[in-house]
Amino acid sequence: MATKYSIPRGTYDILPDISYRRIYVEQMFYKIAATFNFKQIVTPIFERSDVFERSVGDTSDIVQKEMYRFTDKKGRKFALRPEGTASVVRSYVENNLGMAGGATRLCYSGPMFRYDRPQKGRYRQFYQYGVEYLGSDDPMVDAEIIALGHRYLTALGLKNFKLEINSIGSANCAKDYDAALVDYFTPHLDAMCRDCRQRIDKNPKRLLDCKVASCKAIAKDAPNMLEYLDDDCKTHFTAVQRYLAQMGIPFSVNPTIVRGLDYYNKTAFEFIDTNLGAQNTLIGGGRYNGLVAQFGGKDVPGIGFAGGFERLMLSMETEGCFFGEEPRPQIYFVALGNAAKVAAAGILYRLRSQGISAEYNVEKTSMKAQMKAADKSGAKGVLILGDDELKDNVVVLKWLETGKQKRIKIDNIAEELHPE
Ligand SMILES: [Zn+2]
Ligand SMILES: [Zn+2]
């Protein structure tokens, strides 16, 4: 049969044969986040476009090329969210979440949208998880956020990843560094891509993480941020490393990690899969002091990270990680004859009300066909009901693995399946 409709390019369906895996990794995320006392926040998938333009930065790829924008019937400008942090900070300010003072720990997951060239593990509608900690500039918090990412990857059974950290400085010291970058890159600009030539004035740090090979070759010898950090940033970065060491979390310092978005400062970090090739960042994050003030709130410091479920699950597959049990019915109901079929409706409903997952096949009538379907379903046990059993108010319970079977009272099925 010809397909009349097809899915939009760069999107995918999460089909029932693997959806339990997605549920597993997502539930694990919230479980680990809860052990750090992070609470879920859910924001809309679209916002006024300036929520992203101003925060993510209008020189970023995301805003310049990849945002899904639309205008509503009243001419208001919106965008599908390309990332999570801007929406969370918008909500934090709008709802006065920081009013009580102290820390606000938030976590989220959901679809994000970028008009990007689709490639393996990269989609136009993709799913991210992330955390945001608002309310402290203490380096112990940076280490805690990094530790949460580390815990999550470890809890999923991943082993082949490494943590790289950097400090990209604050407004104070980044100025000198930006000037040094402009000095360094200006004589090379003719050999660099159009994006780099455009960005050098607004955000010269972005030239450090350009993916174009010729730009990469030039960026390799650029000045090192760590040599430009002022005392405050240096002390902060040293403390982050001390806390990580205290937690026993291995890391290395990589001065080329700048993160793609404008709002980052001080600590930046990435968890990198050491199996995969090019697209290998599992989790990326950093500090964004000043972002809350930019949204009209008080000058509350913040730090967070985000990661994509797609890449995470690719890594888990590569490493043969456990994805949770594939759900299957506990019992399969085989009804022989019309009277048994009618009785089965009531029995099935009562079993399901008692928390027992049950399946049956209404299209098949013969014993053989129904038993075959039971085998295929993966059910542990089969309940067989024919006219004889119905007369005595019993069913035959057959365990598929051992072949053992016995007659049990219909009223006692749940007890037999769930012996206390
Ligand atoms: Zn600084
Ligand atoms: Zn470039």
Side-chain angles (χ1 to χ4, degrees):
M1 194 174 68
T3 313
K4 196 166 174 191
Y5 300 106
S6 57
I7 193 167
R9 186 163 141 84
T11 66
Y12 66 100
D13 297 314
I14 302 171
L15 298 174
D17 61 335
I18 62 138
S19 56
Y20 74 95
R21 296 175 159 219
R22 261 296 298 280
I23 294 170
Y24 176 79
V25 293
E26 192 160 30
Q27 284 180 345
M28 183 68 84
F29 170 67
Y30 285 113
K31 191 174 138 193
I32 299 300
T35 62
F36 287 70
N37 198 29
F38 280 72
K39 293 184 179 137
Q40 191 187 30
I41 182 167
V42 180
T43 61
I45 62 164
F46 68 98
E47 300 270 355
R48 276 173 38 178
S49 24
D50 56 356
V51 164
F52 308 112
E53 279 154 7
R54 282 210 304 236
S55 58
V56 175
D58 41 23
T59 62
S60 66
D61 276 352
I62 294 181
V63 167
Q64 281 194 339
K65 302 178 196 162
E66 298 169 1
M67 218 152 64
Y68 277 95
R69 299 161 196 277
F70 64 98
T71 307
D72 75 359
K73 289 182 179 173
K74 294 218 165 135
R76 288 172 291 221
K77 287 183 173 137
F78 292 104
L80 297 182
R81 62 181 182 193
E83 59 101 48
T85 302
S87 305
V88 171
V89 172
R90 190 269 310 142
S91 176
Y92 172 86
V93 172
E94 186 171 358
N95 296 294
N96 279 313
L97 297 185
M99 205 164 53
T104 307
R105 292 174 162 92
L106 304 167
C107 55
Y108 63 85
S109 61
M112 309 288 163
F113 305 84
R114 287 183 203 173
Y115 193 88
D116 199 358
R117 183 189 301 276
Q119 47 186 296
K120 190 174 161 66
R122 210 160 166 167
Y123 298 91
R124 290 178 173 170
Q125 173 169 338
F126 54 101
Y127 296 83
Q128 282 197 333
Y129 54 91
V131 302
E132 314 293 352
Y133 184 121
L134 294 137
S136 177
D137 185 45
D138 195 296
M140 186 170 168
V141 172
D142 303 44
E144 182 184 319
I145 291 293
I146 293 170
L148 171 45
H150 185 267
R151 263 299 297 142
Y152 180 43
L153 299 181
T154 307
L156 290 173
L158 289 168
K159 292 190 178 73
N160 301 334
F161 65 85
K162 58 181 180 177
L163 165 63
E164 295 189 341
I165 64 172
N166 187 27
S167 174
I168 55 175
S170 59
N172 179 38
C173 50
K175 245 184 291 158
D176 294 341
Y177 183 54
D178 283 354
L181 286 179
V182 172
D183 283 349
Y184 172 79
F185 280 116
T186 301
H188 297 289
L189 274 186
D190 284 345
M192 300 186 77
C193 74
R194 220 176 106 233
D195 285 343
C196 284
R197 291 201 300 271
Q198 280 174 356
R199 283 171 182 154
I200 187 160
D201 295 323
K202 272 199 122 170
N203 192 348
K205 271 200 235 35
R206 295 295 317 283
L207 276 61
L208 294 171
D209 70 348
C210 181
K211 302 282 181 271
V212 177
S214 53
C215 302
K216 255 183 166 167
I218 294 163
K220 191 166 55 72
D221 299 317
N224 183 340
M225 176 68 221
L226 297 176
E227 284 156 24
Y228 287 80
L229 294 181
D230 58 13
D231 286 344
D232 173 46
C233 290
K234 219 180 277 175
T235 311
H236 187 97
F237 192 46
T238 307
V240 172
Q241 297 177 55
R242 200 168 57 231
Y243 285 118
L244 286 174
Q246 192 66 31
M247 294 166 172
I249 295 175
F251 63 89
S252 57
V253 174
N254 177 355
T256 68
I257 290 180
V258 296
R259 308 294 307 146
L261 316 183
D262 274 5
Y263 51 62
Y264 285 116
N265 46 57
K266 285 191 171 170
T267 310
F269 62 93
E270 287 180 359
F271 285 95
I272 292 162
D273 183 314
T274 48
N275 299 311
L276 297 175
Q279 296 298 330
N280 58 359
T281 305
L282 286 166
I283 290 178
R287 188 163 270 293
Y288 47 79
N289 298 347
L291 184 59
V292 176
Q294 215 178 302
F295 274 90
K298 277 195 252 168
D299 192 9
V300 175
I303 181 168
F305 71 62
F309 283 123
E310 291 83 4
R311 202 156 305 162
L312 185 66
M313 291 174 72
L314 267 180
S315 301
M316 288 174 69
E317 259 164 50
T318 307
E319 291 193 40
C321 294
F322 178 66
F323 272 102
E325 296 287 353
E326 186 168 2
R328 49 186 190 155
Q330 280 169 277
I331 63 114
Y332 202 96
F333 206 101
V334 172
L336 303 168
N338 227 347
K341 184 184 164 193
V342 172
I347 298 168
L348 276 164
Y349 182 69
R350 282 190 294 280
L351 288 177
R352 288 165 168 171
S353 305
Q354 288 166 299
I356 291 162
S357 59
E359 173 65 295
Y360 67 103
N361 190 328
V362 78
E363 299 297 330
K364 300 270 191 282
T365 50
S366 80
M367 173 85 167
K368 198 178 159 199
Q370 291 187 66
M371 286 304 287
K372 210 172 141 190
D375 264 330
K376 215 178 137 197
S377 77
K380 287 201 187 79
V382 180
L383 295 172
I384 304 162
L385 183 66
D387 288 339
D388 284 352
E389 288 80 18
L390 196 54
K391 205 170 63 219
D392 298 340
N393 220 15
V394 296
V395 290
V396 174
L397 167 61
K398 180 175 180 178
W399 296 108
L400 284 176
E401 204 171 297
T402 59
K404 278 187 187 158
Q405 61 178 65
K406 62 174 175 179
R407 285 159 75 92
I408 56 174
K409 286 238 171 296
I410 285 176
D411 288 340
N412 294 346
I413 296 172
E415 284 161 47
E416 289 282 344
L417 294 173
H418 277 156
E420 294 304 315

